[in-house]
Amino acid sequence: MFDSQDVAEKLPFGFLVVNSKGYITFANEICEGFLDLHKSKNIQDLLPGSTIIKVIKEGNFEVTNYYLNERTLLMNFPIVKQDLGAILIFQEEIFQGFVNHLPKVIELKQELEAIMNLSGELVTITDANGIVLRVNNTCEHFFGVREVDLVGKSTNSLEKAGVINVSSTQQVLEKKRKITMHQTTKSGRRLMVEGHPIFHDDGTLNKIINISKDVTEISNLHEKLEETRILLDYYQNELSHLQKQNKEMVVKSRAMEKVYELVCRVANVDATIYLHGETGVGKEVLARTIHQLSNRKKAPFIKVNCGAIPESIMESELFGYTKGAFTGANKEGKKGLALAADKGTLFLDEIGELPFSLQAKLLQLLQEKQFTPLGGTEPVQVDVRFIAATNRNLEEMVKKGSFREDLYYRLVVIPINIPSLSDRKEDIPFLINHFKEMFNQKYRLNKSFDPEVIQSFIDFEWKGNVRELQNTVERLIVTAPDQCIEMKHLPEQFLPSYASKTRNIGNGLNLKEEMERYEKLILLQVLETSSTMKEASVKLGVDASTITRKVRKYNINVAKLQFQL
């Protein structure tokens, strides 16, 4: 018989005494909450699979998990020299309370806390159901919420609440393996997250540990680097324009004679000139001609392509900035393109692409000939002549509210409409000759054009206008193997049989190669007739990123195709 019954009755957990035959000789009152002692006194009836008899015989201590009316922990140990065994029955949370107060456990928790907080990275631990158990002290910096608002919450609910855009824990729960992913938090931080599953010995999921590294600054640097690359390409393109020779206008048709006569009359007048015409008709050439004919020709001609400079840096590029205006700015500040054009001409190309947020500031520059640099407080006065150009319908943009009405009327003081190439076909033979001489000199060649080719160019519908004609002439000068360029050297779209050839299926043609060839042809044609990648994407009805990917795939030199005439 068990000798310490009074002590056992006072214990805060279940206590059973069992003999070597499995018969229960003692049970304290707490056991009645777990077992039906009136039903049987045999341990195998009440706790099937119990290992207590084995423990009594072998004399070894053993701990097992068991499910009664809730999850419990059984501690089995022998009572030496009495041929008895004892079973301690703990509710899991009560046992956890005991364990948490053990000195060794307290020491381990302190060490874990120190390790989690010393890393400088965000560490979260969840259970197998995705409930947050623990986070380190960087959570408020990363998530923008306090630790108390995270612990005990499901990661699924945190995702729905927008604390994170996507849960790494849910990914681990679905895939049952380590994952690496990007995550954006409510506070705008960008994280690189590794989710690590921790398994029980039986292979079931126990916990998930997520370790997150803040890569926000790295991402911002990548974006700034890309913006700088775009800007560098833009300025390199501008430099190539300045280095080109023989840029004089070809004026042979009556339509262009009228335009040139008007240009000569207004060149020395400082009123703002508004050039309108289709893509590739030669708006920049006309703007440079106006500058060369004016009394400002010895001063700078500064071009601003409103569709080529990223919107995020447009203001600083156009108006400049003061010292320390923003993080990453040049320590000495920057004067901007408006100031660079002082005493000269500021050419606002693709003005219809100017962000609405900058239109008011440009209006101030047009009206008062002054502007305030980014980060500055004092206005800067300039003496500038303005020329604006676009192929868009600004009147329609004004009606739709995407372009300021007051800015529109300030720009359209002297409007000049440049006719498309289809309205001045008389110029085509002279343009061909002009470009032929220019590229023969550039590439040190002596190519000529067959009269039949010139006639086919006159009959052709140049959707890209003069720019497309120029690019076609250059391509033929460079690629034609013979001294005289004949019909056989022309691209397929110029050949009468082209349509029938494209319908010819079979004959050993590879479908994938033919589709790619045709796709590249379409891209070349559209890019030749577009001023910007954005404009090309609109024409083709696809996202700009798709155009960028295809250009890279087919190794197309966009800067060369989009040479501004």
Side-chain angles (χ1 to χ4, degrees):
M1 190 64 161
F2 181 62
D3 297 330
S4 303
Q5 293 183 13
D6 291 340
V7 175
E9 288 291 356
K10 297 177 181 179
L11 294 175
F13 47 82
F15 187 90
L16 286 173
V17 178
V18 182
N19 63 23
S20 60
K21 295 182 179 179
Y23 185 78
I24 298 173
T25 62
F26 174 79
N28 65 359
E29 289 184 10
I30 291 180
C31 288
E32 294 179 1
F34 298 107
L35 306 172
D36 187 359
L37 296 172
H38 299 289
K39 177 181 177 182
S40 175
K41 292 292 184 179
N42 191 291
I43 193 65
Q44 291 301 327
D45 293 336
L46 298 175
L47 294 173
S50 171
T51 61
I52 187 61
I53 296 176
K54 173 187 171 186
V55 168
I56 294 170
K57 290 181 179 180
E58 296 179 356
N60 297 320
F61 175 85
E62 192 171 292
V63 178
T64 58
N65 285 314
Y66 210 87
Y67 288 88
L68 295 171
N69 56 344
E70 56 186 301
R71 189 179 175 90
T72 57
L73 191 73
L74 305 183
M75 301 180 66
N76 305 277
F77 60 90
I79 300 177
V80 184
K81 297 181 181 180
Q82 296 189 37
D83 201 24
L84 298 173
I87 302 176
L88 307 186
I89 305 175
F90 292 92
Q91 288 181 310
E92 188 176 45
E93 58 184 48
I94 294 176
F95 180 75
Q96 191 64 47
F98 288 145
V99 171
N100 286 341
H101 288 84
L102 293 175
K104 188 64 177 177
V105 173
I106 293 173
E107 182 181 346
L108 288 172
K109 288 174 69 177
Q110 290 173 341
E111 290 176 357
L112 174 62
E113 194 80 26
I115 292 170
M116 288 180 68
N117 292 325
L118 282 174
S119 68
E121 298 177 348
L122 175 65
V123 181
T124 62
I125 302 175
T126 73
D127 64 15
N129 296 313
I131 305 299
V132 179
L133 302 176
R134 180 186 293 270
V135 295
N136 65 350
N137 58 15
T138 63
C139 67
E140 189 163 355
H141 167 71
F142 280 78
F143 288 143
V145 295
R146 298 171 301 166
E147 180 180 352
V148 68
D149 297 321
L150 294 173
V151 175
K153 303 290 179 60
S154 73
T155 53
N156 194 32
S157 67
L158 294 174
E159 182 178 336
K160 290 179 179 178
V163 176
I164 49 177
N165 68 325
V166 60
S167 167
S168 55
T169 297
Q170 294 300 318
Q171 295 283 323
V172 174
L173 288 172
E174 292 173 10
K175 299 177 180 178
K176 299 293 189 297
R177 61 174 174 80
K178 174 188 171 183
I179 62 98
T180 301
M181 59 176 288
H182 285 89
Q183 191 178 79
T184 303
T185 71
K186 183 179 183 180
S187 61
R189 311 305 296 177
R190 300 175 190 176
L191 311 179
M192 175 71 78
V193 187
E194 286 189 352
H196 300 265
I198 307 298
F199 297 98
H200 289 292
D201 291 339
D202 61 2
T204 58
L205 188 63
N206 180 12
K207 290 180 175 61
I208 299 168
I209 299 177
N210 297 290
I211 302 174
S212 306
K213 184 177 182 63
D214 191 345
V215 294
T216 306
E217 299 306 321
I218 296 174
S219 297
N220 289 340
L221 285 173
H222 278 302
E223 289 180 0
K224 289 181 179 179
L225 182 62
E226 180 63 16
E227 289 176 351
T228 303
R229 186 193 65 76
I230 293 171
L231 196 59
L232 179 61
D233 288 345
Y234 167 68
Y235 284 125
Q236 285 178 336
N237 200 25
E238 286 304 295
L239 180 61
S240 71
H241 290 323
L242 294 174
Q243 292 172 339
K244 296 289 182 180
Q245 297 179 353
N246 301 319
K247 294 174 70 83
E248 63 269 25
M249 290 177 62
V250 174
V251 181
K252 297 297 179 181
S253 65
R254 182 54 189 157
M256 283 306 293
E257 284 179 356
K258 289 182 178 180
V259 170
Y260 192 73
E261 288 171 2
L262 177 58
V263 164
C264 292
R265 289 199 301 271
V266 301
N268 274 326
V269 180
D270 275 350
T272 301
I273 294 177
Y274 172 74
L275 305 178
H276 185 266
E278 296 176 2
T279 298
V281 292
K283 294 185 286 293
E284 183 180 344
V285 171
L286 194 61
R288 292 183 185 275
T289 299
I290 294 170
H291 176 72
Q292 289 300 319
L293 292 173
S294 73
N295 51 19
R296 296 175 178 265
K297 63 181 178 181
K298 293 183 179 180
F301 175 92
I302 302 296
K303 174 189 170 185
V304 181
N305 190 323
C306 303
I309 301 177
E311 181 176 343
S312 57
I313 56 175
M314 171 65 85
E315 183 175 1
S316 62
E317 288 302 312
L318 183 56
F319 300 109
Y321 53 82
T322 59
K323 296 179 181 180
F326 52 88
T327 304
N330 189 306
K331 293 181 180 180
E332 299 303 318
K334 186 173 183 177
K335 68 178 183 179
L337 298 175
L339 186 56
D342 190 32
K343 308 300 182 185
T345 301
L346 186 64
F347 176 45
L348 303 167
D349 197 15
E350 302 296 335
I351 189 66
E353 304 297 331
L354 185 71
F356 194 88
S357 57
L358 289 181
Q359 291 179 18
K361 198 162 186 178
L362 178 61
L363 180 63
Q364 179 194 15
L365 178 61
L366 288 165
Q367 289 181 159
E368 304 171 12
K369 296 291 181 73
Q370 66 178 24
F371 64 93
T372 304
L374 194 64
T377 56
E378 297 294 327
V380 176
Q381 197 76 30
V382 289
D383 175 19
V384 175
R385 198 271 179 80
F386 300 96
I387 301 176
T390 185
N391 63 343
R392 300 187 65 178
N393 189 331
L394 292 190
E395 290 184 13
E396 285 298 319
M397 293 180 67
V398 169
K399 291 177 182 178
K400 293 178 180 178
S402 58
F403 200 88
R404 292 179 63 108
E405 185 176 13
D406 47 5
L407 177 59
Y408 169 75
Y409 288 114
R410 179 61 63 175
L411 289 171
V412 187
V413 178
I414 302 177
I416 299 177
N417 185 64
I418 307 175
S420 64
L421 199 53
S422 61
D423 294 328
R424 48 180 172 123
K425 288 184 176 291
E426 308 97 297
D427 289 338
I428 291 177
F430 300 96
L431 286 166
I432 294 171
N433 187 62
H434 171 67
F435 295 139
K436 179 196 69 175
E437 292 179 359
M438 182 169 68
F439 293 122
N440 272 334
Q441 181 180 354
K442 177 181 178 180
Y443 299 113
R444 297 181 180 180
L445 296 170
N446 189 28
K447 299 290 181 71
S448 62
F449 283 80
D450 185 273
E452 188 179 1
V453 172
I454 296 175
Q455 185 59 51
S456 71
F457 280 11
I458 294 172
D459 296 335
F460 187 71
E461 183 181 356
W462 297 96
K463 294 182 179 179
N465 292 291
V466 181
R467 182 188 297 121
E468 185 182 6
L469 174 61
Q470 176 182 338
N471 291 335
T472 302
V473 171
E474 181 178 15
R475 188 185 314 153
L476 291 169
I477 291 284
V478 173
T479 61
D482 302 321
Q483 195 72 14
C484 181
I485 298 169
E486 301 175 350
M487 291 295 293
K488 64 181 181 180
H489 300 125
L490 297 188
E492 291 176 322
Q493 64 264 37
F494 292 91
L495 304 178
S497 60
Y498 174 67
S500 61
K501 285 185 178 180
T502 56
R503 298 191 194 101
N504 186 18
I505 306 300
N507 296 328
L509 292 179
N510 183 291
L511 179 60
K512 181 180 178 183
E513 292 176 355
E514 287 299 303
M515 292 295 289
E516 289 181 343
R517 181 178 63 83
Y518 191 61
E519 183 177 54
K520 181 179 179 180
L521 178 62
I522 292 172
L523 275 173
L524 285 168
Q525 291 176 343
V526 173
L527 289 168
E528 285 179 345
T529 61
S530 303
S531 299
T532 64
M533 298 279 272
K534 181 180 177 182
E535 182 183 338
S537 69
V538 172
K539 287 181 179 179
L540 290 173
V542 297
D543 191 78
S545 61
T546 301
I547 298 291
T548 303
R549 189 172 63 255
K550 297 291 185 182
V551 164
R552 192 179 300 116
K553 175 181 177 181
Y554 296 122
N555 196 26
I556 298 173
N557 189 336
V558 178
K560 187 175 180 181
L561 286 175
Q562 294 182 339
F563 172 67
Q564 299 288 328
L565 295 179

